[in-house]
Amino acid sequence: MALRAVPLSLTSSLSGASFFQHFVLEENMLEVDCPCVTPEIVLKASGHVDKFTDLMVKDEKTGTCYRADHLLKDFCNEKLQKDLSISPEKAAELKRVLAVLDDLSAEELGAKIKEYGIIAPDTKNPLSDPYPFNLMFQTSIGPSGLSPGYMRPETAQGIFVNFKDLYYYNGNKLPFAAAQIGQAFRNEISPRQGLLRVREFTLAEIEHFVDPENKAHPKFSDVANLEFLMFPREEQMSGHAAKRIPLGEAVSRGTVNNETLGYFIGRVYLFLTRLGIDKNRLRFRQHLANEMAHYAADCWDAEIECSYGWIECVGIADRSAYDLRAHSEKSGVPLVAQEKFPEPREVEKLFINPVKKELGLAFKGNQRMVVEALEAMNEKEALGMKDTLESKGEMEFYVCTLEKNVTIKKNMVTISREIKKEHQRVFTPSVIEPSFGIGRIIFCLFEHSFYMRPSKAGDEQLNVFRFTPLVAPIKCTVFPLVQNQQYEEVAKVISQSLTTAGISHKIDITGTSIGKRYARTDELGVPFAITVDSTSSVTIRERDSKDQIRVNVERAASVVKEVTDGRTTWAVVWSTFPHHSSGSADE
Amino acid sequence: MALRAVPLSLTSSLSGASFFQHFVLEENMLEVDCPCVTPEIVLKASGHVDKFTDLMVKDEKTGTCYRADHLLKDFCNEKLQKDLSISPEKAAELKRVLAVLDDLSAEELGAKIKEYGIIAPDTKNPLSDPYPFNLMFQTSIGPSGLSPGYMRPETAQGIFVNFKDLYYYNGNKLPFAAAQIGQAFRNEISPRQGLLRVREFTLAEIEHFVDPENKAHPKFSDVANLEFLMFPREEQMSGHAAKRIPLGEAVSRGTVNNETLGYFIGRVYLFLTRLGIDKNRLRFRQHLANEMAHYAADCWDAEIECSYGWIECVGIADRSAYDLRAHSEKSGVPLVAQEKFPEPREVEKLFINPVKKELGLAFKGNQRMVVEALEAMNEKEALGMKDTLESKGEMEFYVCTLEKNVTIKKNMVTISREIKKEHQRVFTPSVIEPSFGIGRIIFCLFEHSFYMRPSKAGDEQLNVFRFTPLVAPIKCTVFPLVQNQQYEEVAKVISQSLTTAGISHKIDITGTSIGKRYARTDELGVPFAITVDSTSSVTIRERDSKDQIRVNVERAASVVKEVTDGRTTWAVVWSTFPHHSSGSADE
């Protein structure tokens, strides 16, 4: 983990202003800021302590660690691309391995590594068998050494364990969402691909809590007509390409599981394209059945194409009630919502009443475990037992906690369906989670925003980042055309107005030629340059068109402010103010 | 470490908008975002691995840990306050112990604990001797287990190790500042005082790099006339109280070491009071000589008075060149700045040339240590040696790394002063560091902003937070006066305009009485409430005065926006728009 600084401005304009405006304000979301250091019990409940692992192999002599699946993947890809002598059968086999790579167990991976004779790429030494390595950074909380903790691998768990307070804060009403932006930590075995796989990164996560029986979204119609590249499961399985599908159609056909999930897919599309991501290099890919967690109802990744291929930058998942249930169970605190009925409703309910006396006589010290297992039966199991007991008088029943079957007799439990009046429905909300890898989005934004244009002299290529005014870390530059005290004074006055307006900017009073100064700021992706060439009016230049307008000194800051805030556009400004011809100044 | 969420909005409006605008934009600072997980070597260089410790004692039977100084402090305070039988001599002794508490070594603390018979407060068991406990959360980077790392205990080190890039980015010019806002982690032995001493917290740190030979600040005159409570070292030592001193005077008299330090003290004062900190409960306290790090030139804490006493919320220190030097030495990468001279200058320079052959003969394997010690002499030491060698032919010389004196003879070193032409000056910049504990400021802001007022009915007290529009997490509420579809439509239109304007707000369409809804939002510290009582115009109510104006529906959002942005004030708004009398609505 190198201690390199990331210029914060782009992260902050992206995760701060844009994300806040586009999601938090727009949907009236709650915001929270939970700690990074997380007690073990929270991550036990979420499953991370037991399952957040990658399979690792070690160089048996040097101890260098590798991700087992990466080695196998690299081996297969290289064989397929470079070894012209392999048979069609062998090629088909390697392709099959690549397709199921994510599903292989430690044993299966180990067997393949042995079979193919894969060795340590750096030393050619033999490799150990694969074994799981937990990706969380471990630490110890407090001075005693008795309270293990981990750096959070995602921000979401903080929102789940605070569900009760958030629900209360929202007036005990569903649906609502809570958002969190912060650091997440994953102790990757081998960070690679530049900024795409790092050990510490900024996540922006939204947990939208919704009634599982009603996942309609009141604002879905706002996004229903959007049409963009979608890559449903079926298209992937049948080897087709991603295709443009209207979002409304994808939801109504059931390709996307529900309206709320669809709404967020649409909002993520708008977010990314407004930031400046090329819509032709953005697709929404549905998880295959084997990729998706067993509890998830549906999951789509916003993938952006860059020089490393199609990169997952946002995951949008319907995680059903899994997370809240897991924390309820571990903590004993019910994380549930209530729907109060306007009038009491008659509901047919299943009652399982274990007869403790009889069970006690039969199972002695194991009574409690049997009672719990009986009470934990779902409706189908209970009705099956009722039938069997009525017809046969007894049945074999598996008790997990005892790890064996016991014989339940008719007198040990009564199972009945009764009509009951209910005043409310208590349920565990479902969670729809859009989760944004801010660093990955920024990386792709760099690639999609970069272009080169010839200098006027034609002797060199000039670099430009076409950052939109919304995301550009520096919104504006201020240049006195020539070194001259009067112009510098004007530049300082404009700089002060920009500061007051909250516009980040750079003032450059060096005597460098104006063309060079434009080229420098184009390379930083600054959208507007104000050049002071008189004491009464100045020019404003737009980066990509290189068009210039002339405005009064007093108006300069406010024009930049209005375009930057999105209250107007450069096109409108261009049609409003007198144009200025740059002559030969602008290379 | 409880996993409680902090409502982010206040943190983000405070550390984001306000801090960014007041410091980063105003001074054109660079912004960085460095990782939290930090390789050990960085914190070795900074001294944290060896010295970032508190002295701890353990309950010898249960293993419960306590901070040794806290136990001694509590013992002394309790004796002084509750034991009426102690002699004046004893009281004087206890007061002396409290005064030097921070200076006591482990042995001295242990001796006092034994002498006073202090035992574990919870169990009355005996205590261990005090021993140092490092306050950093330790972890391991990567899968090998061979790269120890720590969660950063402050954000500053990330800026120091990136100095070279930041200096380059600033066009190789001084002075400049870099700012960073992020999490810091300290594994406190016993967190206490609510939100004031926690194990994870948000820090905002500014590192302002400046030429040590010129610490003047061009904008000092902007703050020179400020006058506020200052508590210089001398006043503390002589038992006087803090007093109002004009900042310009404090700097010109040398009470504050230099203009740049003074400038930031003034800017911090403006920042805190603009947030809503009571200026009568804010003081700047200078560190006593024994509190200050040996390398620091001067250090002042902005202390805010709250129910826990005077709390350090911002530290403003001139750390001299210590940090950059420490990282230069450890990394071997010079972290320096250059000042190019317009014309080459003739400089008299000291040359120390150890004669390695003679030194090798005399000191064999220790030669290198002696050479290094000779070369490390400062001017005074070197000239002293030159004199002694010329007069006596030899002298005793202490070599730190050998921990002993060696005899240096005249033939072992030549020391001379020569005139040399220099084209530039290379130096290690000084660092002036304002460091903000955002959580502590928020805690004090809660206390300073809270008040109660009687309800109109007079039967209860209503709670109010007087958050300024700048920091209030929710800027505005929107209420239809009565439940009515037309009014709800208007409320939604206004809500949409507020969203577009970036104003966080809550819309409440419940039928609750308007008085109750006002009381609710007062308790949340929302400065403005828009009430829809017609389809053409609405009222805007200001929280503290409860005054209401009437504006057209179309203007409502923009009026709130202008006051919130600080472009106008409520007083101006109040004098511009027609007033509305609330009748009995507002409790």
Side-chain angles (χ1 to χ4, degrees), chain B residues 375-440:
Chain B
E375 285 174 343
M377 284 189 293
N378 62 28
E379 182 150 343
K380 199 179 145 213
E381 291 162 344
L383 293 178
M385 176 175 281
K386 184 174 155 73
D387 269 6
T388 311
L389 293 181
E390 275 166 15
S391 59
K392 302 193 177 157
E394 65 175 53
M395 83 174 260
E396 291 299 285
F397 177 63
Y398 184 75
V399 179
C400 286
T401 44
L402 296 177
E403 294 184 349
K404 66 173 185 188
N405 274 336
V406 298
T407 305
I408 300 292
K409 299 203 171 127
K410 204 175 169 184
N411 63 347
M412 294 179 185
V413 61
T414 58
I415 295 167
S416 58
R417 295 178 70 103
E418 290 169 23
I419 302 289
K420 221 194 131 188
K421 270 204 181 174
E422 290 204 333
H423 298 264
Q424 62 175 8
R425 184 169 71 93
V426 177
F427 59 94
T428 306
S430 278
V431 173
I432 314 270
E433 175 193 84
S435 171
F436 301 75
I438 298 295
R440 290 185 168 192

Side-chain angles (χ1 to χ4, degrees), chain B residues 443-455:
Chain B
F443 181 87
C444 294
L445 198 54
F446 273 115
E447 286 203 9
H448 289 203
S449 301
F450 181 78
Y451 67 99
M452 296 172 87
R453 61 182 170 204
S455 69

Side-chain angles (χ1 to χ4, degrees), chain B residues 148-162:
Chain B
Y150 298 90
M151 303 309 300
R152 61 179 177 197
E154 59 178 34
T155 68
Q157 301 306 323
I159 297 180
F160 297 139
V161 297
N162 282 288

Side-chain angles (χ1 to χ4, degrees), chain B residues 540-559:
Chain B
I540 304 181
R541 169 189 181 266
E542 194 275 333
R543 177 195 55 215
D544 299 301
S545 62
K546 298 192 275 181
D547 285 338
Q548 294 181 53
I549 56 162
R550 180 163 291 284
V551 300
N552 288 336
V553 168
E554 300 74 39
R555 276 288 276 143
S558 58
V559 168

Side-chain angles (χ1 to χ4, degrees), chain A residues 21 36 138-139 142 187 200 499, chain B residues 21 36 138-139 142 187 200 499:
Chain A
Q21 175 80 33
C36 298
Q138 192 172 6
T139 189
N187 197 8
E200 181 176 339
T499 300
Chain B
Q21 175 80 34
C36 298
Q138 191 171 6
T139 190
N187 197 8
E200 183 176 337
T499 300

Side-chain angles (χ1 to χ4, degrees), chain B residues 287-426:
Chain B
H287 276 205
L288 298 177
N290 65 6
E291 282 178 273
M292 213 159 56
H294 63 92
Y295 50 79
D298 194 5
C299 187
W300 293 75
D301 285 344
E303 295 185 331
I304 305 178
E305 196 188 22
C306 73
S307 52
Y308 290 104
W310 287 94
I311 300 299
E312 173 197 347
C313 290
V314 187
I316 309 138
D318 182 335
R319 301 172 56 88
S320 75
Y322 175 78
D323 305 281
L324 292 181
R325 281 221 182 100
H327 288 291
S328 291
E329 275 168 27
K330 190 83 185 172
S331 64
V333 178
L335 301 177
V336 292
Q338 294 88 30
E339 184 201 358
K340 292 219 163 30
F341 300 140
E343 316 222 318
R345 289 187 194 169
E346 297 203 328
V347 199
E348 200 187 38
K349 272 206 95 175
L350 182 78
F351 287 87
I352 302 174
N353 291 312
V355 182
K356 293 194 181 160
K357 195 185 135 202
E358 300 294 335
L359 290 164
L361 285 171
F363 303 115
K364 310 249 158 43
N366 291 336
Q367 179 213 18
R368 190 176 53 83
M369 269 88 98
V370 178
V371 167
E372 284 174 1
L374 287 169
E375 285 174 343
M377 284 189 293
N378 62 28
E379 182 150 343
K380 199 179 145 213
E381 291 162 344
L383 293 178
M385 176 175 281
K386 184 174 155 73
D387 269 6
T388 311
L389 293 181
E390 275 166 15
S391 59
K392 302 193 177 157
E394 65 175 53
M395 83 174 260
E396 291 299 285
F397 177 63
Y398 184 75
V399 179
C400 286
T401 44
L402 296 177
E403 294 184 349
K404 66 173 185 188
N405 274 336
V406 298
T407 305
I408 300 292
K409 299 203 171 127
K410 204 175 169 184
N411 63 347
M412 294 179 185
V413 61
T414 58
I415 295 167
S416 58
R417 295 178 70 103
E418 290 169 23
I419 302 289
K420 221 194 131 188
K421 270 204 181 174
E422 290 204 333
H423 298 264
Q424 62 175 8
R425 184 169 71 93
V426 177

Side-chain angles (χ1 to χ4, degrees), chain A residues 158-320:
Chain A
I159 296 180
F160 298 140
V161 297
N162 283 288
F163 172 77
K164 255 178 92 109
D165 286 351
L166 295 167
Y167 182 57
Y168 168 78
Y169 193 78
N170 200 52
N172 293 326
K173 283 197 192 69
L174 282 188
F176 74 91
Q180 179 164 213
I181 303 171
Q183 296 304 89
F185 305 82
R186 297 183 185 176
N187 197 8
E188 297 286 348
I189 295 170
S190 49
R192 41 154 85 180
Q193 297 184 311
L195 288 173
L196 296 179
R197 187 176 296 280
V198 290
R199 291 195 173 125
E200 181 176 339
F201 48 98
T202 303
L203 271 188
E205 293 191 298
I206 294 168
E207 308 301 324
H208 179 92
F209 298 99
V210 62
D211 185 340
E213 293 180 9
N214 178 14
K215 293 183 180 173
H217 196 289
K219 286 156 76 181
F220 181 69
S221 60
D222 294 358
V223 298
N225 292 326
L226 291 176
E227 193 175 321
F228 46 80
L229 281 179
M230 297 191 84
F231 202 7
R233 199 175 290 145
E234 294 70 39
E235 308 295 324
Q236 296 170 56
M237 303 294 283
S238 57
H240 294 144
K243 60 181 183 186
R244 275 174 215 289
I245 309 177
L247 186 54
E249 199 182 301
V251 170
S252 63
R253 284 191 185 173
T255 310
V256 170
N257 184 280
N258 59 71
E259 264 191 10
T260 299
L261 189 64
Y263 178 71
F264 279 109
I265 289 174
R267 293 291 298 167
V268 168
Y269 171 79
L270 291 174
F271 178 65
L272 293 174
T273 50
R274 279 174 192 168
L275 291 183
I277 293 295
D278 180 353
K279 66 182 193 305
N280 297 312
R281 301 176 72 190
L282 166 64
R283 71 182 184 192
F284 287 80
R285 189 182 71 79
Q286 190 172 30
H287 275 205
L288 299 177
N290 65 6
E291 281 178 275
M292 211 159 56
H294 63 91
Y295 50 79
D298 194 5
C299 187
W300 293 76
D301 285 344
E303 295 184 332
I304 305 177
E305 196 188 23
C306 73
S307 51
Y308 290 105
W310 288 93
I311 299 300
E312 173 199 348
C313 290
V314 187
I316 309 140
D318 182 337
R319 302 173 56 88
S320 75

